[in-house]
Amino acid sequence: METTGANTAPEFGAAPDLDLVTVPTRQGLEAVDIIRRGASRTCGVGPVLHDGSGDTLGFLVPSGTADAWDLPGSACTQTDGRGMRFGDAVSPAAGPTDWLLPPEAVGPVTDPEVLRAALGEAARLIEAADNCR
């Protein structure tokens, strides 16, 4: 998938058609930091969900991303708008899930290529840190 650097995300409203990339929390938090540090070169990070148990983060990405997503250690699923609500202060309707970065605070979805690169860098940083012990 080629990145254009332009945001082609749909306008947020009720139940947008988006995909969701889920990753372990530690890797996801590192990726958020990596994307935010590089935001001057990219579109930045979009809305991010965290599950109630604190095990995973979910990045909202454009619809169609799941068709070609193959990054080990992560999963990308089509939401088809199920359980997603935007444009108000209400948390997602997916049980004990809440926003780490809500749509109104960050705006557009995360570019999948930017996310893929950040997750790869995050995995390398985590591995290096773990090997220093």
Side-chain angles (χ1 to χ4, degrees), residues 26 120-133:
R26 185 175 176 198
E121 184 177 341
R124 292 186 294 277
L125 288 170
I126 291 168
E127 182 179 3
D130 288 350
N131 287 336
C132 288
R133 294 179 186 177

Side-chain angles (χ1 to χ4, degrees), residues 102-129:
E104 61 275 6
V106 293
V109 295
T110 303
D111 180 295
E113 291 304 317
V114 170
L115 179 58
R116 182 184 303 276
L119 289 172
E121 184 177 341
R124 292 186 294 277
L125 288 170
I126 291 168
E127 182 179 3

Side-chain angles (χ1 to χ4, degrees), residues 85-92 98-99 104:
R85 291 172 55 190
F86 300 100
D88 56 19
V90 179
S91 294
D98 203 358
W99 294 111
E104 61 275 6

Side-chain angles (χ1 to χ4, degrees), residues 21-117:
V21 173
T22 53
V23 297
T25 298
R26 185 175 176 198
Q27 185 180 14
L29 290 173
E30 287 288 344
V32 166
D33 287 343
I34 291 164
I35 294 169
R36 283 188 151 179
R37 283 193 311 264
S40 63
R41 297 182 306 271
T42 67
C43 330
V45 68
V48 179
L49 294 161
H50 67 83
D51 66 357
S53 65
D55 293 335
T56 61
L57 291 185
F59 292 81
L60 293 180
V61 294
S63 178
T65 301
D67 296 337
W69 191 263
D70 61 354
L71 189 66
S74 67
C76 187
T77 54
Q78 297 172 336
T79 68
D80 297 326
R82 293 183 305 263
M84 306 300 259
R85 291 172 55 190
F86 300 100
D88 56 19
V90 179
S91 294
T97 301
D98 203 358
W99 294 111
L100 175 69
L101 298 173
E104 61 275 6
V106 293
V109 295
T110 303
D111 180 295
E113 291 304 317
V114 170
L115 179 58
R116 182 184 303 276

Side-chain angles (χ1 to χ4, degrees), residues 3-19:
T3 182
T4 62
N7 180 354
T8 58
E11 292 295 318
F12 286 115
D17 186 16
L18 302 170
D19 290 350

